[in-house]
């Protein structure tokens, strides 16, 4: 460092931005990495080229599709036989024991053009505290992952097989993402935890050790309220992924498709919420193990992958 630079760098509170950036560029962030348990994401990335494993990078490498991959091609082709077609046609039906089922009301028409909705969409971190109407919830769920059409194919003996199609695209139509709700304040729907059943356009109450408000508080405890006042939320929309629903056909690349599907559904939630004047905000900073326990997911074959906050 030159004498002039040294004088400028010690100027105290008036330290120029350029000099601060110059000094900062020489800071050694890895000098004591071996003697501390604190490793920021930046430090983990910087050390990835060394001895530390990098699972995220390994996933990207292992999920690549290469020309001539016969194992991949055979796996995909197997999904066109009768057994696989029948299995896929049933995706979305109730998969676990649950309590009472509640039919959702008719969704509201969206009163806004797509270009206007896109321009207005914003993450709402300041919620009004107003309850979310049940018709609004039905609209959001229908736009997020509801059944919008049915395709028909034939099995080998000519028997027709109906394939329900949803609002969000899904790799191979396998729909590995399921939606669940922690209802806090929606008139007409008791507080508690629910599964969304797209084929029935209904909610099914989840039977857990905790019930009602206690179950909802368990979910809220897994969502640190640092940047959204979750106490004003009407409901929490939780996405779970069943990876093998997609990976049995597409291998590790199937997880890429599942993550993409999560984004498609979340964007549909935002657009529908904006169109009908409700609030929505993504909430990725949840505590995975706690949220899995609250909804009864095993964390492996089914695990929480995303969450959203909804308000009136």
């Amino acid at each position: 460092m030159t004498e002039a630079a040294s004088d400028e760098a010690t100027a105290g509170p008036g330290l120029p931005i350029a000099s601060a950036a110059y000094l900062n560029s020489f800071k050694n962030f890895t000098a004591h990495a071996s003697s501390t348990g604190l490793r920021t994401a930046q430090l983990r990335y910087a050390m990835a080229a060394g001895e530390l494993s990098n699972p995220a990078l390994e996933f990207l490498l292992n999920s690549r599709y290469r020309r001539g991959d016969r194992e991949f091609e055979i796996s995909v082709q197997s999904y066109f036989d009768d057994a696989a077609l029948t299995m896929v046609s049933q995706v979305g039906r109730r998969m676990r024991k649950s309590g009472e089922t509640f039919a959702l009301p008719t969704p509201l028409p969206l009163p806004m053009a797509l270009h206007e909705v896109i321009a207005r969409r914003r993450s709402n971190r300041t919620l009004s505290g107003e309850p979310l109407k049940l018709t609004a919830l039905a609209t959001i769920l229908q736009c997020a992952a509801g059944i919008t059409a049915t395709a028909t194919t034939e099995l080998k003996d000519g028997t027709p097989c109906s394939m329900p199609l949803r609002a969000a695209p899904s790799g191979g139509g396998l729909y590995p993402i399921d939606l669940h709700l922690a209802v806090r304040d929606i008139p007409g729907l008791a507080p508690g935890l629910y599964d969304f059943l797209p084929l029935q356009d209904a909610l099914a109450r989840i039977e857990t050790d905790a019930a009602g408000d206690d179950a909802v508080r368990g979910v809220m405890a897994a969502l640190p309220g640092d940047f959204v006042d979750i106490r004003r939320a009407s409901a929490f929309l939780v996405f779970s992924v069943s990876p093998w629903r997609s990976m049995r056909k597409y291998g590790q690349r199937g997880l890429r498709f599942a993550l993409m599907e999560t984004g498609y559904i979340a964007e549909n939630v935002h657009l529908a919420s904006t169109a009908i004047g409700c609030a929505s905000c993504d909430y990725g900073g949840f505590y995975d193990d706690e949220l899995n326990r609250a909804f009864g997911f095993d964390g492996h074959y089914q695990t929480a992958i995303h969450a959203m906050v909804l308000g009136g």
Side-chain angles (χ1 to χ4, degrees), residues 65 69-85 156 248-250:
Y65 176 42
D69 187 341
R70 289 294 296 155
E71 292 177 339
F72 182 92
E73 294 166 359
I74 291 172
S75 297
V76 172
Q77 186 62 37
S78 70
Y79 267 68
F80 291 91
D81 63 25
D82 286 358
L85 289 172
K156 291 180 180 178
R248 284 182 61 197
K249 181 177 182 179
Y250 296 114

Side-chain angles (χ1 to χ4, degrees), residues 76-256:
V76 172
Q77 186 62 37
S78 70
Y79 267 68
F80 291 91
D81 63 25
D82 286 358
L85 289 172
T86 303
M87 175 187 68
V88 171
S89 72
Q90 300 301 307
V91 171
R93 295 197 179 277
R94 194 180 315 183
M95 301 297 293
R96 60 176 171 178
K97 181 181 178 181
S98 55
E100 189 176 357
T101 299
F102 303 87
L104 289 168
T106 302
L108 300 168
L110 300 184
M112 197 177 295
L114 179 59
H115 70 275
E116 186 177 359
V117 177
I118 292 174
R120 291 191 180 190
R121 185 219 57 80
R122 295 293 181 272
S123 296
N124 291 281
R125 296 181 174 85
T126 304
L127 304 177
S128 68
E130 293 294 321
L132 183 69
K133 294 181 179 179
L134 187 56
T135 51
L137 175 65
T139 304
I140 292 169
L141 291 175
Q142 173 65 24
C143 292
I147 304 302
T148 55
T150 301
T152 302
T153 186
E154 288 188 354
L155 304 181
K156 291 180 180 178
D157 63 359
T159 302
C161 181
S162 296
M163 311 294 287
L165 306 176
R166 303 192 191 180
S170 178
L174 299 175
Y175 305 110
I177 304 301
D178 291 309
L179 298 182
H180 318 269
L181 279 164
V183 172
R184 180 179 170 274
D185 187 12
I186 298 180
L189 199 58
L193 308 187
Y194 298 84
D195 290 327
F196 174 53
L197 308 177
L199 298 189
Q200 292 99 312
D201 193 25
L203 297 176
R205 186 185 293 277
I206 301 173
E207 296 182 348
T208 60
D209 293 337
D213 291 323
D214 289 337
V216 177
R217 280 191 286 269
V219 171
M220 293 174 68
L223 304 173
D226 296 334
F227 69 100
V228 179
D229 188 357
I230 59 176
R231 295 169 298 178
R232 291 175 172 267
S234 295
F236 306 94
L237 183 62
V238 174
F239 300 49
S240 71
V241 59
S242 299
W244 281 101
R245 220 182 270 175
S246 183
M247 291 171 65
R248 284 182 61 197
K249 181 177 182 179
Y250 296 114
Q252 295 195 59
R253 197 174 188 85
L255 185 54
R256 284 200 200 187

Side-chain angles (χ1 to χ4, degrees), residues 260-276:
M260 292 161 61
E261 185 175 328
T262 299
Y264 302 149
I265 295 173
E267 181 66 1
N268 283 0
V269 170
H270 286 309
L271 296 178
S273 298
T274 300
I276 59 177

